[in-house]
């Protein structure tokens, strides 16, 4: 059986067709311009693919409350052309199939939990640290939505005592995203992360913020695994620094087998950057199961 996958991002829309084993059979990338033009291209791509359902993992904020009149909408996004846009409704109408919907980071987490190295876990957090910072959360086998969906990229950070940087987030300044995203690194240090590879202090400070956020998530959600991805995490030495700082932050307070092996507790994604699009396939499968 074939399923459609749409990874909806602020700069590009990745459309793919896959099967129930998570195998991606074909894919295209469409630039995200205005909804009219972009949606037309997406619909044209999926139209004759004989897919049984479509799964969307989208940038947000989005409305995931099935009882809400704006369910399936991209809501208050700063990408204004897409604000209050009914992406699920449009695709459902055009394609005439079930359309599942979740956040981009929940989609990636679902991909990892279904087909990745750590599949089968029921309690995990997936964090992407790049242009923005976002977190997908699974608890007791369920992706967490709550009143909207988690926005753990915007939790407030305690600035490091040596850090005079104000923070990049237009809403909160010194939230996780404001202090640790790629654009925050660039603005603070005057150079892009890639050009700062040999500057130890840059990554020490970066790890300080990431570890602070992770410690909060560990104490709140008690995940069994934390998966870190995104452009900033390509700086491989960050993993070691983060693991050490999380351990220091916990300071012996929690004693679990997971925390006693930090190298397998805080880990990189395992699906070669296909976790997002594969997650969309699973979102489509779940939606089909729900509606049939
Ligand atoms: Zn923020």
């Amino acid at each position: 059986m074939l399923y459609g996958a749409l990874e909806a991002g602020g700069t590009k829309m990745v459309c793919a067709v896959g099967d129930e084993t998570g195998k991606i059979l074909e894919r295209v990338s469409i630039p995200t311009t205005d909804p009219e033009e972009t949606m037309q291209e997406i619909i044209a791509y999926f139209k004759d693919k004989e897919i049984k359902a479509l799964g969307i993992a989208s940038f947000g904020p989005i409305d995931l409350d099935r009882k809400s009149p704006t369910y399936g909408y991209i809501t208050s996004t700063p990408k204004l052309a897409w604000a209050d846009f009914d992406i699920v409704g449009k695709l459902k109408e055009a394609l005439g199939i079930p359309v599942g919907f979740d956040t981009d980071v929940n989609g990636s987490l679902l991909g990892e939990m279904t087909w990745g190295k750590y599949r089968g876990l029921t309690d995990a957090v997936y964090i992407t640290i790049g242009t923005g910072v976002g977190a997908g959360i699974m608890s007791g086998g369920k992706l967490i939505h709550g009143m909207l969906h988690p926005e753990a990229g915007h939790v407030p950070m305690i600035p490091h005592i040596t850090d005079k940087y104000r923070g990049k987030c237009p809403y909160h300044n010194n939230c996780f995203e404001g202090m640790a995203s790629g654009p925050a690194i660039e603005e603070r240090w005057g150079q892009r992360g890639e050009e700062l590879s040999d500057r130890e202090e840059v990554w020490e400070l970066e790890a300080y913020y990431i570890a602070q956020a992770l410690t909060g998530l560990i104490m709140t959600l008690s995940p069994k695994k934390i998966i870190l991805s995104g452009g900033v995490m390509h700086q491989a030495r960050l993993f070691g620094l983060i693991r050490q700082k999380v351990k220091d932050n916990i300071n012996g307070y929690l004693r679990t087998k997971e925390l006693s092996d930090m190298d397998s507790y805080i880990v990189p994604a395992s699906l070669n950057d296909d976790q997002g699009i594969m997650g969309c396939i699973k979102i489509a499968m779940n939606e089909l199961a729900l509606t049939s």
Side-chain angles (χ1 to χ4, degrees):
M1 199 176 283
L2 297 179
Y3 297 92
L6 169 59
E7 218 181 344
T11 55
K12 62 176 188 203
M13 300 278 180
V14 180
C15 303
V17 175
D19 67 16
E20 66 281 355
T21 67
K23 191 171 170 202
I24 302 299
L25 304 164
E26 57 166 290
R27 84 176 85 192
V28 296
S29 180
I30 294 166
T32 307
T33 57
D34 60 275
E36 194 138 317
E37 184 182 22
T38 308
M39 292 304 289
Q40 213 166 19
E41 287 186 57
I42 293 171
I43 291 163
Y45 173 78
F46 284 117
K47 197 85 192 170
D48 57 357
K49 295 288 192 279
E50 298 191 349
I51 53 174
K52 292 284 182 249
L54 173 68
I56 308 173
S58 177
F59 69 100
I62 60 178
D63 188 347
L64 294 169
D65 177 1
R66 286 177 189 271
K67 290 188 191 122
S68 158
T70 53
Y71 168 74
Y73 280 52
I74 295 170
T75 58
S76 57
T77 174
K79 253 187 112 62
L80 288 177
W82 291 84
D84 302 312
F85 182 74
D86 181 11
I87 187 166
V88 170
K90 280 274 182 312
L91 288 167
K92 236 179 181 167
E93 192 193 314
L95 301 171
I97 51 173
V99 176
F101 192 43
D102 215 315
T103 62
D104 44 10
V105 272
N106 265 351
S108 294
L109 174 57
L110 185 61
E112 285 286 343
M113 292 299 105
T114 310
W115 289 298
K117 189 172 168 190
Y118 313 108
R119 62 183 170 273
L121 281 176
T122 52
D123 298 83
V125 174
Y126 177 99
I127 303 175
T128 181
I129 305 164
T131 313
V133 177
I137 296 165
M138 182 178 273
S139 182
K142 284 200 163 137
L143 294 171
I144 297 302
H145 296 158
M147 66 168 180
L148 181 74
H149 46 74
E151 282 285 353
H154 293 270
V155 293
M157 294 277 99
I158 301 168
H160 191 275
I161 195 160
T162 63
D163 188 14
K164 301 294 172 235
Y165 179 57
R166 176 164 188 271
K168 185 79 185 159
C169 179
Y171 293 90
H172 320 109
N173 297 324
N174 59 311
C175 64
F176 186 10
E177 180 173 299
M179 296 310 253
S181 64
I185 295 174
E186 188 178 346
E187 192 170 75
R188 180 190 285 112
W189 300 98
Q191 275 176 303
R192 292 172 59 80
E194 300 92 290
E195 292 149 5
L196 295 162
S197 295
D198 53 357
R199 296 269 302 272
E200 193 119 355
E201 69 275 26
V202 172
W203 307 108
E204 278 285 337
L205 187 64
E206 183 67 13
Y208 164 83
Y209 288 114
I210 298 172
Q212 187 183 149
L214 261 52
T215 306
L217 290 164
I218 291 166
M219 297 300 184
T220 312
L221 300 163
S222 201
K224 292 181 180 167
K225 189 79 68 188
I226 296 177
I227 300 171
L228 299 179
S229 76
V232 170
M233 292 310 302
H234 289 155
Q235 199 62 235
R237 80 171 98 175
L238 268 177
F239 276 95
L241 292 170
I242 292 164
R243 288 171 185 137
Q244 186 56 50
K245 287 180 198 299
V246 167
K247 203 171 164 192
D248 294 347
N249 288 350
I250 292 173
N251 200 21
Y253 179 63
L254 304 175
R255 289 183 200 157
T256 67
K257 69 173 182 342
E258 287 83 0
L259 292 174
S260 69
D261 181 7
M262 277 288 170
D263 289 353
S264 30
Y265 185 58
I266 299 171
V267 296
S270 73
L271 291 169
N272 303 316
D273 286 334
D274 273 351
Q275 58 272 17
I277 201 76
M278 291 170 81
C280 294
I281 298 288
K282 182 63 174 168
I283 292 172
M285 291 166 65
N286 290 350
E287 189 69 18
L288 184 65
L290 203 69
T291 50
S292 56

